[in-house]
Amino acid sequence: MRTGPLDYLARWPLRLWLAGVGLFLYLPLVSLVAFSFNDSKRTTVWRGFTLDWYAQLWEDGELVAAFGNSLVIAAASTLISLVLGTAAALLLWRFRFAGKSVLEAVLGLPIVVPEICLGVAFLVFFTAIVPWPTELPWPANLGAIIIAHATFSFSFVALVVRARLASFDGALAEAARDLGAGEWLIFRDIMVPHLVPGLVAGALLAFTLSLDDFVITFFTSGPDTITFPIKVYSMVRFSVTPAVNAASTLLILLTAALTALALWLQGADIAKQAA
Amino acid sequence: MSGGHQEQRPGQAPGVFAAVGLPPIVWLAALFIAPLAVIWAYSFGENRTLVDIAITGNWGSYARALKPLYLAILLKSLGFAALTTLICFILGLPVALAISFASPRVKLLLLLAVMLPFWTNLLIRTYALMAILRTEGLINSALGGLWGLVPGLPPFEPLPLINNNFAVVVGLVYVHLPFMVLPLYAALDRLDRSLIEASLDLGAGHLATLWRVVVPMALPGIISGIIITFIPALGAYLAPDLLGGTNSQMIANVIERQFRSANDWPFGAALSFLLMYLTFAALLLQSLISRRSAAREARA
């Protein structure tokens, strides 16, 4: 078969380049996952398959507690950012008001402000301005981290929900209003069903962002409020061990599964629209 | 917009306006703007005791941030971020080109392949690189193994791949490559193919076509890729922290130290805001350029 002039993928220099970049991107991750199953303390020579490192994680009470904290924080901050993000999206979609462009700009800020700046801002805020009590029972002691996570993730939710709102047919709401439906009924029975794919995608995004966050959490967590990435960080600082590889592999699997779910839902949504 | 959606004024539905407006606005003001404003105010303050900071309106912290020691770190951070962006561009442009000219099926697979590491936790990606680069890591033990196969060589000296500037830049490139590839791909995918074909038909080589046709046409996308890569690289904390040595600190590491060990909040606050201003300057540049190219397209 003759290759066309723009069939770049058929050219060997480009294939070589792609293979090199692929190796660069994947060799570290693949070796990380592979050596979590290695029957040796060393992470360079393969000795045989084992699940011992995973069993060892399970026995590490601190790590399991940190994982529990991460899930609670992710769930709570997702719920808050879903409510706030949807409200912000509806506000900007429905109304024209003074200061709207300012609000839009401020809403976009949490996405672009360097994480380290937001991290230290929360550290100072929750120590000096509104000290978050440290003696609270679990899970209330996680409140400061939940607030921090909700703050950076609700902008992302607003973005996703707003994109979905753009395809909403305003005539449907008009018709319902003419037929006597109130605002709440229109929201619950007409808007929410249309928004569901956006809400699900936004929620999964917020959950993954929260689960993954290290830098901002690093500044808001205390000795009793350790999350999974913070615990992994303290293990990493200590040494490179197969147990860290195992913990990392679990987190990779979890976020990959969540993202795949989000993509699949959005793909199904696009397919439905195209049909 | 579908359905003839019309924006309302708040007065037309005051209850709804308050219900959807108050929660996000109050949250942003109290829990986003307020903490940043406190840091901003502290950057003009002086330490009395650890958490008692008098806001005296002096510029001392900023002056200190521009002293040679810290200015050098600031410049080093800018240099690392610029070098990272350049390497990402060189690595990423052919990848983006290949993706945009691939068949739909291959395109989807390649895009997923670029994005998959992107969804992996930042800390874990940095750790994965640590395990590869360290003295007893994968690269050095593989090289050592090969070295041992040749008889008569002196004992293998592991390459210094970690705890230096090299490792920091490798780490930053590793983490930020998708930030570059995705906007480049988006820009290249929209290009008018017939112009590229015309250039090739008329005798320009592939590299000349790339440099003189593709790059100028995709310039707005290229610039947004450059800025989107540069901003997070500039504020990076984990790569210099885990991969760098004592001499490869970046601005984020200095900020962290002021708040967690040195306990000089006003100085840390001033550094944070310098980083913020640099970020905003980059964003402003991007919006100016995209506005100008939009205006040019409208005129054409």
Side-chain angles (χ1 to χ4, degrees):
Chain A
M1 202 181 88
R2 210 181 70 87
T3 55
L6 295 181
D7 204 358
Y8 283 112
L9 263 180
R11 287 166 197 280
W12 70 264
L14 207 64
R15 287 191 169 189
L16 203 65
W17 195 270
L18 277 183
V21 172
L23 192 69
F24 174 56
L25 283 179
Y26 280 93
L27 180 71
L29 288 176
V30 169
S31 97
L32 173 105
V33 172
F35 283 109
S36 75
F37 298 107
N38 189 18
D39 196 6
S40 158
K41 262 194 186 301
R42 293 181 47 189
T43 55
T44 47
V45 184
W46 184 257
R47 293 256 183 257
F49 182 86
T50 180
L51 287 174
D52 284 358
W53 304 111
Y54 289 88
Q56 192 180 318
L57 291 184
W58 189 244
E59 281 152 24
D60 184 342
E62 252 182 73
L63 194 75
V64 174
F67 192 61
N69 284 346
S70 275
L71 289 181
V72 170
I73 292 166
S77 67
T78 299
L79 207 62
I80 297 171
S81 51
L82 205 53
V83 172
L84 292 173
T86 308
L90 285 169
L91 175 76
L92 293 170
W93 173 76
R94 179 155 171 183
F95 294 101
R96 178 195 304 279
F97 52 94
K100 180 171 171 173
S101 54
V102 176
L103 181 65
E104 281 186 280
V106 173
L107 194 62
L109 277 183
I111 300 177
V112 296
V113 164
E115 280 188 304
I116 185 95
C117 299
L118 207 51
V120 298
F122 281 123
L123 168 75
V124 169
F125 190 71
F126 286 123
T127 350
I129 310 298
V130 190
W132 194 266
T134 47
E135 308 292 291
L136 289 175
W138 192 86
N141 58 352
L142 304 173
I145 306 178
I146 292 171
I147 288 172
H149 284 200
T151 304
F152 70 71
S153 52
F154 99 79
S155 296
F156 288 92
V157 176
L159 215 63
V160 174
V161 175
R162 231 185 139 186
R164 179 73 194 165
L165 267 174
S167 65
F168 180 71
D169 187 354
L172 285 178
E174 281 309 310
R177 192 166 291 126
D178 289 346
L179 294 170
E183 292 288 353
W184 173 246
L185 209 62
I186 294 174
F187 175 68
R188 197 192 63 191
D189 289 352
I190 300 177
M191 305 213 62
V192 169
H194 175 80
L195 289 180
V196 162
L199 294 175
V200 173
L204 287 167
L205 187 61
F207 198 89
T208 319
L209 284 172
S210 166
L211 212 54
D212 267 353
D213 180 73
F214 168 75
V215 173
I216 292 170
T217 316
F218 187 49
F219 290 96
T220 31
S221 77
D224 297 325
T225 54
I226 292 188
T227 67
F228 196 69
I230 301 287
K231 174 69 187 165
V232 171
Y233 177 76
S234 66
M235 291 162 83
V236 167
R237 297 240 60 166
F238 189 62
S239 72
V240 173
T241 70
V244 184
N245 289 32
S248 307
T249 304
L250 288 180
L251 196 57
I252 292 175
L253 280 179
L254 188 60
T255 45
L258 287 170
T259 320
L261 184 65
L263 277 183
W264 179 72
L265 285 169
Q266 278 180 313
D269 179 41
I270 291 166
K272 211 190 293 166
Q273 279 181 342
Chain B
M1 215 169 278
S2 65
H5 166 63
Q6 281 223 310
E7 288 175 343
Q8 290 180 313
R9 272 175 286 109
Q12 287 170 288
V16 179
F17 184 71
V20 295
L22 281 179
I25 291 174
V26 169
W27 186 287
L28 273 179
L31 297 165
F32 177 68
I33 299 298
L36 287 177
V38 169
I39 293 279
W40 185 75
Y42 276 5
S43 73
F44 297 101
E46 280 170 79
N47 269 324
R48 291 275 184 271
T49 64
L50 172 55
V51 286
D52 177 25
I53 290 159
I55 293 158
T56 50
N58 80 18
W59 290 79
S61 297
Y62 288 95
R64 207 179 131 202
L66 296 177
K67 282 203 174 132
L69 172 66
Y70 294 105
L71 191 64
I73 292 176
L74 201 62
L75 291 177
K76 188 166 208 167
S77 307
L78 287 168
F80 278 173
L83 187 59
T84 299
T85 309
L86 180 70
I87 298 175
C88 282
F89 179 71
I90 294 170
L91 283 180
L93 186 63
V95 175
L97 207 61
I99 297 176
S100 63
F101 288 104
S103 67
R105 222 188 124 71
V106 178
K107 183 183 281 193
L108 194 69
L109 278 175
L110 287 175
L111 276 177
L112 276 176
V114 170
M115 279 161 75
L116 195 64
F118 199 45
W119 301 322
T120 308
N121 191 301
L122 183 67
L123 169 67
I124 289 174
R125 276 183 290 162
T126 314
Y127 166 71
L129 215 50
M130 252 173 100
I132 294 274
L133 295 176
R134 72 206 169 101
T135 315
E136 53 285 349
L138 204 60
I139 292 180
N140 268 323
S141 51
L143 285 177
L146 290 177
W147 190 272
L149 294 179
V150 185
L153 286 178
F156 178 69
E157 281 290 324
L159 297 175
L161 298 175
I162 200 168
N163 297 331
N164 50 30
N165 295 342
F166 165 80
V168 175
V169 175
V170 171
L172 290 174
V173 170
Y174 183 62
V175 164
H176 294 104
L177 192 57
F179 282 94
M180 181 64 90
V181 173
L182 297 177
L184 284 185
Y185 157 73
L188 293 175
D189 205 41
R190 283 201 311 262
L191 288 188
D192 185 350
R193 309 255 153 120
S194 55
L195 292 174
I196 303 173
E197 281 172 353
S199 163
L200 292 172
D201 281 350
L202 293 172
H206 276 281
L207 284 179
T209 304
L210 186 63
W211 186 242
R212 301 185 52 184
V213 179
V214 174
V215 167
M217 283 200 299
L219 203 58
I222 290 173
I223 290 169
S224 90
I226 286 173
I227 290 173
I228 289 172
T229 312
F230 183 81
I231 290 176
L234 183 64
Y237 172 77
L238 273 173
D241 182 54
L242 292 176
L243 299 167
T246 42
N247 262 330
S248 27
Q249 300 278 296
M250 288 176 70
I251 182 167
N253 308 93
V254 185
I255 294 174
E256 187 263 353
R257 214 177 319 129
Q258 304 314 314
F259 283 94
R260 290 182 65 111
S261 48
N263 282 320
D264 190 343
W265 287 10
F267 183 49
L271 287 172
S272 297
F273 263 84
L274 283 178
L275 180 58
M276 292 258 271
Y277 294 141
L278 288 171
T279 306
F280 291 148
L283 285 171
L284 192 68
L285 191 68
Q286 187 197 10
S287 79
L288 282 179
I289 290 169
S290 69
R291 198 170 304 165
R292 226 170 76 188
S293 76
R296 198 181 306 148
E297 264 174 41
R299 244 182 301 142

